[in-house]
Amino acid sequence: MKFRLVKIEKLSGQKTQVYSIIMNDEDKNLFEHFLEENSPNFRNELTEILSRIKSIANKEGAKEYFFKKAEGKLGDGVEALFDESKRKLRLYCIRYGSVILILGGGGSKNVRALQDDPKLKQENYLLRSISKRLSQAMQDGDMQWNSNYTDFIGTFIFDDNEDF
């Protein structure tokens, strides 16, 4: 799997640094694809999600109450950011405490479990794989926290022969 972690400067703030993932050699990151795919049918929901991300980054930090936890395997940090509790749009992300948020993809959840929707399952499992690789990079010392534990430093490009 080949990907790179990219900081989204215009969404990052004093409380939380916001990242996304660029797969292979694509021009757009996963979050940009999410916005593009969902803008025709979910414009209001996307506005709400962007507002929440800005609030997370600048005012509140990535607090637990913004997310549905355990959207992946135990300990992988994969969670879903809600637009509003009664709405169906889900954005999958990886959260490192309240200070780093990695935005992935997602879509409309019209099923009981994400595994029942091929698109949501694909987006979620991709983030699980990325989370596993990032954890390995941190264990190996290729990627680490900065000195005040507010951001990452190190290798942000991953080009493995492994498919997770």
Side-chain angles (χ1 to χ4, degrees):
M1 175 188 327
K2 182 178 178 182
F3 69 91
R4 62 189 161 108
L5 187 64
V6 291
K7 186 182 259 187
I8 305 175
E9 295 289 347
K10 65 183 178 182
L11 292 179
S12 294
Q14 290 184 314
K15 296 283 188 175
T16 303
Q17 302 306 306
V18 180
Y19 289 83
S20 191
I21 304 292
I22 295 179
M23 298 303 299
N24 301 311
D25 294 317
E26 292 186 19
D27 293 332
K28 296 178 183 175
N29 64 52
L30 295 178
F31 182 61
E32 289 169 326
H33 284 293
F34 172 79
L35 293 173
E36 199 171 85
E37 290 167 2
N38 292 290
S39 64
N41 298 320
F42 297 100
R43 191 166 299 279
N44 291 337
E45 290 88 342
L46 290 174
T47 300
E48 178 64 26
I49 285 174
L50 282 167
S51 176
R52 283 188 186 222
I53 292 169
K54 289 176 184 176
S55 178
I56 286 168
N58 296 300
K59 295 177 185 171
E60 302 194 51
K63 305 285 173 122
E64 287 186 25
Y65 54 82
F66 286 113
F67 303 90
K68 181 177 183 201
K69 297 181 62 133
E71 287 290 299
K73 291 182 179 180
L74 184 63
D76 66 9
V78 176
E79 300 178 353
L81 176 66
F82 290 100
D83 53 342
E84 284 185 10
S85 61
K86 296 180 182 177
R87 305 246 175 124
K88 300 289 184 183
L89 196 59
R90 300 291 185 270
L91 172 63
Y92 294 112
C93 52
I94 303 168
R95 186 170 64 93
Y96 288 87
S98 65
V99 296
I100 293 184
L101 184 62
I102 301 172
L103 305 175
S108 177
K109 184 177 179 192
N110 297 311
V111 294
R112 185 186 63 77
L114 74 92
Q115 292 84 352
D116 297 334
D117 183 302
K119 167 77 168 135
L120 291 179
K121 182 177 179 181
Q122 175 188 353
E123 296 287 352
N124 184 282
Y125 280 60
L126 175 61
L127 272 194
R128 291 180 190 196
S129 297
I130 289 169
S131 176
K132 183 177 178 182
R133 184 60 187 94
L134 294 175
S135 293
Q136 186 63 50
M138 292 192 76
Q139 286 177 5
D140 294 345
D142 296 331
M143 191 170 91
Q144 52 202 348
W145 289 99
N146 66 2
S147 61
N148 56 358
Y149 297 92
T150 57
D151 206 352
F152 287 143
I153 56 174
T155 301
F156 290 0
I157 299 172
F158 302 86
D159 191 359
D160 301 334
N161 292 327
E162 296 181 44
D163 286 328
F164 290 99

